[in-house]
């Protein structure tokens, strides 16, 4: 699956390097990219500001130091549609500069899909949410309910 119908909201959170210039260049080249510039407000404020601008059905977060695979969005979106999921959590790699090591992480050994009925998800949601929000795809309606926790 190739995914081309998406929006990217880049938030320059008061960076003092060339980040704003680089983001501006990307935004000028692709109409799906929107640049928001603000004084440094920190990660939580910035994530919520991004949610204020988001118009899509699903949301994912990518931090400045993250790298994503070419089909990152497509894989998450495909999994969300296949299971009618409100949250999709995928495996990921973590690079640690100290020791020059790459670690592969998965959240479930057998990569099984868990489906929660009614409010059953809420008890599990706090466990998912209080891990990093990157590497996950969230249904926008769900995020609006829990935005203050992000």
């Amino acid at each position: 699956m190739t995914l081309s119908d998406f929006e990217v909201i880049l938030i320059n959170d008061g960076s003092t390097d060339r980040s704003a210039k680089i983001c501006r260049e990307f935004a000028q080249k692709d109409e799906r990219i929107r640049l928001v510039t603000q004084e440094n407000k920190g990660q939580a404020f910035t994530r919520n500001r991004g949610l204020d601008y988001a118009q899509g059905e699903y949301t994912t977060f990518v931090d400045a130091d993250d790298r994503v695979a070419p089909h990152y969005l497509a894989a998450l979106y495909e999994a969300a549609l296949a299971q009618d999921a409100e949250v999709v959590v995928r495996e990921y790699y973590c690079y640690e500069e100290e020791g020059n090591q790459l670690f592969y992480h998965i959240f479930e050994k057998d990569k099984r899909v868990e489906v929660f009925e009614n409010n059953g998800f809420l008890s599990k949601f706090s466990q998912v949410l209080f891990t990093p929000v990157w590497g996950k795809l969230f249904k926008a309606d769900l995020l609006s309910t829990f935005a203050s926790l992000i």
Side-chain angles (χ1 to χ4, degrees), residues 6-18:
F6 60 88
E7 66 181 338
V8 175
I9 301 166
L10 298 174
I11 301 184
N12 175 25
D13 187 34
S15 67
T16 57
D17 58 10
R18 293 182 357 100

Side-chain angles (χ1 to χ4, degrees), residues 86 115-126 142 145-146:
E86 292 185 306
V115 177
F116 299 93
E117 299 294 330
N118 302 321
N119 291 332
F121 175 71
L122 294 177
S123 63
K124 188 82 166 180
F125 185 71
S126 62
L142 183 68
T145 303
F146 294 99

Side-chain angles (χ1 to χ4, degrees), residues 20-145:
K21 181 178 187 256
I22 293 167
C23 290
R24 205 170 17 261
E25 289 171 2
F26 275 105
Q28 290 170 350
K29 292 177 187 174
D30 191 330
E31 64 186 18
R32 297 173 297 182
I33 299 174
R34 226 175 334 166
L35 174 60
V36 176
T37 300
Q38 65 186 28
E39 289 181 23
N40 184 282
K41 299 282 187 173
Q43 196 173 55
F45 181 91
T46 301
R47 287 193 198 285
N48 284 308
R49 181 109 190 257
L51 292 174
D52 291 341
Y53 285 89
Q55 297 175 7
E57 182 181 2
Y58 289 92
T59 301
T60 189
F61 298 94
V62 180
D63 295 337
D65 62 346
D66 293 345
R67 292 180 185 250
V68 296
H71 299 289
Y72 170 77
L73 285 177
L76 290 172
Y77 186 64
E78 189 174 270
L81 292 180
Q83 298 297 319
D84 191 27
E86 292 185 306
V87 179
V88 177
V89 181
R90 298 295 301 229
E91 62 274 338
Y92 65 94
Y93 290 92
C94 182
Y95 175 73
E96 291 184 6
E97 288 186 36
E98 187 175 318
N100 194 25
Q101 296 179 339
L102 184 66
F103 296 95
Y104 177 69
H105 298 271
I106 57 174
F107 292 95
E108 296 290 340
K109 283 184 180 179
D110 59 4
K111 299 184 185 181
R112 73 178 181 269
V113 173
E114 292 187 47
V115 177
F116 299 93
E117 299 294 330
N118 302 321
N119 291 332
F121 175 71
L122 294 177
S123 63
K124 188 82 166 180
F125 185 71
S126 62
Q127 295 172 25
V128 171
L129 188 61
F130 292 111
T131 62
V133 293
W134 47 260
K136 298 168 181 65
L137 184 71
F138 298 92
K139 191 114 184 196
D141 296 349
L142 183 68
L143 274 183
S144 65
T145 303

